[in-house]
Amino acid sequence: MDLVKALQMRLADWKYETIVAIDAYEGTKLAMDQKPDLVILDLMLPAGGGISTLRNIRNSSRVRFIPVIILTGMKDEAVKRQVIELGVSVYMEKPYKDEDLKSAIDKCLQNPAAPSQ
Amino acid sequence: MRIAIPLQEEPAATAKVPKIVKKAHVAGQTSWIVTQTEEMGADRYQELLHSLYDGVLITKASGQIVDVNARAIRQLQYDQNELSRLNVLDIIVGANDQLLKNICKNIETNRFTLIDAYCIRKDKTTFPAEIATNRLVLTKEGHLCFFLRDVTRRKKAEEELIQTVSRLKELDNAKSRLVANVSHELRTPLTIINSFVSLVHDGIAGAISDQQKECLATVLRNCDRLANLIDDVLDLGRIESGREEFKRRRLCLPDLLRQCHHDFLPKFLLKHQQLNLEINEEAFPDALGDPDKIAQVLTNLMGNANKFTPDGGEITVSLGREGENARIDVVDNGPGIATDDQSRLFEAFTQIDRPEGGSGSKGTGLGLTISKQIVEAHEGALKVESQTGKGSCFFFTLPLYVEQKAFEAFVNDRLRFMQARNRKPMMVVVRCELAGCAGKDAATDGPPLMSQFRTAVAAALGCVELQTFLYESGNLIVALTDRSDLNRETIVSRLQAEIKSRLHAGNFSVSFACFQPDQAGSPGEYLARAMAMLESLPISRETERVKRVLVIDDDAPVLKMMTELLAKVDEKLDVRSTTSGYDACIHFGDWRPDLVVLDLHLPDIDGKKVFQSMSKGDPARRMKFLAVSGYPDEIREIMTMGCDACLAKPFDFKQFVDKVRSLLA
């Protein structure tokens, strides 16, 4: 939670508008309703885990092309593989550097649908 | 008389069935106690028999006991008469005729037999014993001779030792887990501290003074240090407990060194140091190593050299050979390290006092410990040579790439990794015999078919780490998977499905084996076992594969029209469609269509990118592309990129059908 607040302040400083969901269900719902330009997603989330949010996004006709940045402390190769198969733009592990996140965001917003493999 | 006792190995079995633990050649041609009654009087025979430390049972070939010594009587607690009515099999737990047969077989080939078993006393209690047997020629028929040694005390000591070791291991694991958990838990609050301090430091949470900024910069620096320390502790813990995954493979050291040199140069320039790179051979042979881990070692050694060598110093990284190994040296002309300190250097949390004016941030004291562990896990050695005032040379060795070694390393790395995580490994070996390429190495000069095999096996097993190599007449793909949902049946059906869907018609035959490797074997034994188990995997091959067409167009009516037209071309076609280029790349790259009808104007990705991305996954160019666009410029452009055919919108039905026909032909 604290980290989300910090991230939100940081993103605001970079002049992005952010909306925040704190569990996987809410995340899916917000992504569908608000159709953001970018989703930053942790995998360790209550109510289904971030992977369910990602799966819902990728299976929806409405928002399937939204670039997704995974930002997580989870270090499980199998999960990582699964996530990349579903299609994410950038996979970042915590702890991350602010400048790396910035360049990842820039990359995604320039070239929205380029899947990273 | 000759006595030869070449048995020195300790049998280690505790099972309650007799277990032959050793067969050894008997010195000379006859038995090890050559007793010719004519030469040796009965007295001397008795004298010898009763003076032996071991219990002795002399039996007929049937096992019927004919003579015993005093020691045997004491061990078994029968009296002599009782014993002479027994068969030797009666006093060994679980013994049967097969045991006697084996003993006799060994005797015929001049070997004697060492058995690890439990013996039965008269009161039905048992004791662990080591029994050596051999032929004894007393009369013409010949006898068998059993030497019984009671090993109760040794067994007990062994068991205690085993228990102690396992308890210590448990404690050590518990310690490692604790350290890992605590370190991990420290990371989250540290990240939060770091985030908010940097928000304040960067002025995002409101304006701050220069002095405040400086204070916060110190906080941030130390946050970084703490984070590094935690990472190092976690790293070391993972390596020590075997949970770190090593992925040793063919490794081009010159490339790796050049990369490190390139990445590090700015740091050295900052201190006005000279960083030299010397690679002595032009075509240096490949080594066997995990590129990430070896880069970590190099980073550590070069980082140290950079940190401890004063401004203006000179550092040389060189690559050479030492016997069968590659050797990498990192030499500096810094202050050097005293001999006394050198031995402590690789211990955890050691930081040698650096001379006055030593620059750079303090390290964690774990870098060299981690590097040494990494190098040792690679079967290499990390060492230092240094003299105070004369600079230091840190160097490590790494084995050169040999196919068999690579295979062994692969199996060992994977098994250790899975066992450290208490996962049950399953070994799957797939042999692919491709017509026309027997005896060719699939990894280097095999046909593209082989790489498709690899992809198919990887997809079937859901694992990325595979080892491919040439073995006898076929190419082997070896995988070790820990997926609990896979058993023999699912593996068979998934392999069949993946191979069928990914491989276009080809002249190949596939056989496979899968089993759970036990802990005790060696990679070579596993391979032999797999080769013995290989059975052919039937892949039904249709005479003509159903052709697949993927249509990508965001305009729904056009999409519908093209789909209908395709059905007219051939109703058997498997046609799929999507309105998204992104979807095509993600979901249909693996589907391997024969033809892709691609509208260049898509809402999400540029059609050219779709073409590039999909054709990248198909180096053999089996996929044909038909580009469709209303813009002549776009069409020209994609044709120069290697697209197979094009159609300018608007087009009529006949044009489309003709193009499709010719592309599918």
Side-chain angles (χ1 to χ4, degrees):
Chain A
M1 263 320 287
D2 286 339
L3 269 179
V4 172
K5 218 185 293 167
L7 184 57
Q8 205 177 2
M9 283 172 79
R10 186 59 77 180
L11 288 166
D13 181 54
W14 292 337
K15 308 280 180 266
Y16 293 115
E17 198 184 308
T18 50
I19 46 175
V20 176
I22 53 161
D23 65 44
Y25 172 73
E26 204 187 330
T28 308
K29 220 168 123 240
L30 276 184
M32 301 282 178
D33 294 349
Q34 311 268 329
K35 228 181 158 184
D37 298 302
L38 173 73
V39 174
I40 299 177
L41 184 65
D42 189 358
L43 294 176
M44 285 186 275
L45 291 179
I51 199 155
S52 74
T53 307
L54 179 64
R55 195 173 289 122
N56 285 329
I57 290 176
R58 290 290 174 245
N59 287 338
S60 112
S61 55
R62 199 174 133 75
V63 291
R64 71 191 315 169
F65 311 126
I66 295 184
V68 174
I69 294 178
I70 300 290
L71 191 59
T72 186
M74 199 186 270
K75 290 210 158 115
D76 187 319
E77 283 295 315
V79 173
K80 183 171 174 178
R81 225 175 284 144
Q82 209 180 341
V83 163
I84 288 173
E85 271 169 28
L86 279 170
V88 295
S89 304
V90 181
Y91 189 101
M92 290 180 81
E93 274 175 14
K94 285 179 189 169
Y96 63 93
K97 289 212 170 72
D98 283 330
E99 53 267 34
D100 295 340
L101 180 63
K102 178 85 172 82
S103 62
I105 292 175
D106 288 346
K107 192 180 126 201
C108 290
L109 293 180
Q110 264 167 26
N111 188 3
S116 97
Q117 289 284 323
Chain B
M1 185 173 69
R2 278 174 293 157
I3 300 179
I5 309 179
L7 285 172
Q8 278 168 3
E9 246 169 69
E10 297 291 322
T14 50
K16 283 230 172 186
V17 288
K19 188 170 157 205
I20 296 179
V21 289
K22 185 153 175 126
K23 294 178 282 189
H25 273 285
V26 174
Q29 282 302 305
T30 48
S31 59
W32 60 306
I33 300 180
V34 184
T35 322
Q36 305 267 325
T37 30
E38 301 91 71
E39 278 179 28
M40 195 186 334
D43 288 351
R44 286 179 68 192
Y45 160 76
Q46 285 297 328
E47 176 66 29
L48 175 66
L49 194 59
H50 290 284
S51 71
L52 285 171
Y53 172 73
D54 291 337
V56 180
L57 301 172
I58 292 166
T59 76
K60 295 183 183 161
S62 63
Q64 183 61 48
I65 297 172
V66 293
D67 199 1
V68 296
N69 69 353
R71 186 85 184 171
I73 291 168
R74 228 177 15 253
Q75 282 172 343
L76 297 165
Q77 294 168 3
Y78 287 99
D79 63 40
Q80 188 150 11
N81 288 334
E82 285 168 330
L83 268 178
S84 61
R85 282 195 294 276
L86 288 174
N87 189 297
V88 69
L89 298 179
D90 299 332
I91 61 122
I92 301 175
V93 176
N96 55 26
D97 287 344
Q98 190 58 43
L99 185 69
L100 280 180
K101 276 186 200 146
N102 286 340
I103 292 169
C104 293
K105 217 166 84 195
N106 289 336
I107 286 171
E108 278 161 26
T109 52
N110 284 323
R111 296 156 188 266
F112 55 83
T113 313
L114 187 64
I115 307 161
D116 206 16
Y118 281 81
C119 291
I120 312 167
R121 297 194 189 94
K122 188 180 178 183
D123 60 5
K124 302 293 172 212
T125 57
T126 61
F127 63 92
E130 205 177 274
I131 308 168
T133 69
N134 197 21
R135 167 175 54 184
L136 185 62
V137 189
L138 288 171
T139 59
K140 283 215 172 70
E141 306 89 73
H143 287 80
L144 293 174
C145 186
F146 292 78
F147 293 84
L148 265 61
R149 178 163 293 187
D150 187 335
V151 293
T152 309
R153 263 162 60 193
R154 198 180 70 200
K155 270 265 147 46
K156 209 173 143 207
E158 259 172 30
E159 269 157 29
E160 273 169 14
L161 202 61
I162 289 169
Q163 268 177 15
T164 311
V165 169
S166 86
R167 209 173 55 235
L168 284 177
K169 265 191 188 154
E170 240 166 64
L171 278 175
D172 191 48
N173 280 341
K175 179 216 73 182
S176 299
R177 270 200 307 277
L178 180 75
V179 171
N181 287 339
V182 169
S183 311
H184 201 79
E185 291 305 319
L186 286 173
R187 216 140 96 173
T188 312
L190 185 64
T191 314
I192 295 171
I193 294 170
N194 197 49
S195 306
F196 280 96
V197 173
S198 67
L199 282 171
V200 179
H201 172 267
D202 296 353
I204 293 168
I208 56 167
S209 71
D210 284 353
Q211 205 183 352
Q212 286 165 336
K213 196 168 175 158
E214 213 171 284
C215 294
L216 291 177
T218 313
V219 176
L220 284 177
R221 253 200 324 277
N222 283 281
C223 271
D224 277 349
R225 216 182 118 195
L226 191 51
N228 286 338
L229 179 59
I230 291 172
D231 283 347
D232 280 356
V233 169
L234 285 173
D235 261 8
L236 190 62
R238 269 202 309 275
I239 296 172
E240 280 182 342
S241 66
R243 278 177 299 120
E244 181 71 19
E245 192 171 11
F246 284 90
K247 295 175 181 171
R248 284 184 273 172
R249 61 183 82 145
R250 215 179 179 126
L251 176 63
C252 175
L253 284 174
D255 283 357
L256 187 74
L257 287 176
R258 279 186 208 109
Q259 185 64 43
C260 283
H261 179 264
H262 174 266
D263 292 347
F264 254 102
L265 203 54
K267 257 192 146 171
F268 283 78
L269 291 178
L270 217 60
K271 288 186 76 180
H272 306 288
Q273 290 163 337
Q274 195 179 332
L275 178 62
N276 309 314
L277 179 63
E278 284 172 10
I279 296 172
N280 298 327
E281 282 172 70
E282 248 175 54
F284 196 85
D286 286 337
L288 181 64
D290 181 328
D292 294 341
K293 302 287 186 305
I294 297 305
Q296 191 181 344
V297 174
L298 275 168
T299 305
N300 175 247
L301 296 183
M302 288 166 80
N304 284 346
N306 168 256
K307 208 153 61 180
F308 298 118
T309 307
D311 286 16
E314 186 175 347
I315 289 99
T316 302
V317 179
S318 63
L319 172 65
R321 287 205 217 198
E322 191 180 271
E324 296 293 291
N325 295 312
R327 173 176 157 151
I328 296 162
D329 290 62
V330 178
V331 185
D332 66 53
N333 62 354
I337 302 157
T339 321
D340 289 352
D341 289 338
Q342 287 176 20
S343 52
R344 292 193 296 126
L345 214 50
F346 297 102
E347 286 167 21
F349 297 108
T350 302
Q351 286 186 317
I352 306 298
D353 293 334
R354 55 198 78 178
E356 283 302 306
S359 60
S361 59
K362 265 198 129 198
T364 61
L366 286 174
L368 280 174
T369 316
I370 292 172
S371 294
K372 192 173 163 71
Q373 298 260 9
I374 291 176
V375 171
E376 281 168 6
H378 279 83
E379 290 159 53
L382 171 62
K383 287 179 187 149
V384 61
E385 277 165 10
S386 181
Q387 241 179 307
T388 318
K390 290 195 174 161
S392 315
C393 167
F394 284 87
F395 63 95
F396 67 96
T397 56
L398 208 56
L400 292 176
Y401 177 87
V402 180
E403 190 158 74
Q404 193 193 339
K405 223 178 160 99
F407 165 73
E408 285 169 7
F410 168 77
V411 174
N412 286 334
D413 287 352
R414 294 289 293 163
L415 282 182
R416 193 182 44 205
F417 177 70
M418 289 177 198
Q419 274 154 9
R421 279 157 200 258
N422 284 327
R423 297 190 191 152
K424 268 221 154 73
M426 165 93 89
M427 185 165 184
V428 183
V429 176
V430 181
R431 179 161 74 174
C432 321
E433 280 164 287
L434 311 177
C437 66
K440 273 191 199 159
D441 186 351
T444 52
D445 53 10
L449 203 56
M450 199 56 214
S451 73
Q452 287 174 24
F453 258 117
R454 250 185 95 93
T455 323
V457 175
L461 302 177
C463 67
V464 186
E465 288 292 312
L466 299 172
Q467 179 79 14
T468 314
F469 65 102
L470 188 70
Y471 189 84
E472 290 169 1
S473 63
N475 284 296
L476 289 190
I477 298 174
V478 178
L480 278 152
T481 172
D482 55 0
R483 285 179 49 155
S484 50
D485 58 326
L486 289 179
N487 56 35
R488 203 182 160 281
E489 283 70 42
T490 50
I491 289 175
V492 169
S493 66
R494 292 177 65 136
L495 276 175
Q496 280 174 328
E498 291 295 341
I499 293 175
K500 207 166 133 184
S501 83
R502 276 162 207 272
L503 272 85
H504 291 252
N507 232 342
F508 56 81
S509 66
V510 187
S511 43
F512 85 107
C514 66
F515 61 93
Q516 293 188 331
D518 44 41
Q519 305 213 346
S522 70
E525 283 165 23
Y526 294 145
L527 185 62
R529 193 165 153 199
M531 295 311 286
M533 285 170 72
L534 275 184
E535 51 190 298
S536 97
L537 183 76
I539 309 277
S540 69
R541 254 172 276 165
E542 302 101 301
T543 40
E544 198 180 355
R545 183 174 161 277
V546 174
K547 301 256 179 174
R548 296 172 174 177
V549 182
L550 175 65
V551 188
I552 312 168
D553 199 318
D554 64 314
D555 188 343
V558 177
L559 197 64
K560 186 157 177 275
M561 176 202 78
M562 289 201 281
T563 315
E564 279 166 12
L565 283 175
L566 282 164
K568 274 191 195 157
V569 173
D570 181 351
E571 57 187 18
K572 283 207 302 270
L573 283 182
D574 185 358
V575 181
R576 307 214 183 160
S577 59
T578 173
T579 55
S580 139
Y582 181 69
D583 190 42
C585 297
I586 293 271
H587 294 109
F588 289 103
D590 277 352
W591 185 57
R592 297 198 160 268
D594 298 84
L595 173 65
V596 181
V597 180
L598 173 65
D599 180 13
L600 294 182
H601 223 76
L602 295 171
D604 54 346
I605 326 183
D606 187 344
K608 292 191 290 285
K609 285 229 170 91
V610 177
F611 170 70
Q612 279 175 330
S613 157
M614 291 191 79
S615 51
K616 204 162 70 190
D618 176 35
R621 292 308 314 270
R622 286 205 176 75
M623 246 188 257
K624 302 280 186 222
F625 284 84
L626 172 60
V628 180
S629 172
Y631 303 89
D633 285 353
E634 268 187 349
I635 287 189
R636 262 199 299 281
E637 206 180 324
I638 198 156
M639 289 309 282
T640 58
M641 286 164 69
C643 185
D644 303 282
C646 60
L647 261 182
K649 274 185 184 172
F651 51 82
D652 63 38
F653 293 179
K654 191 176 175 313
Q655 276 179 313
F656 179 75
V657 170
D658 287 349
K659 288 263 183 198
V660 169
R661 279 225 170 91
S662 71
L663 286 168
L664 284 178

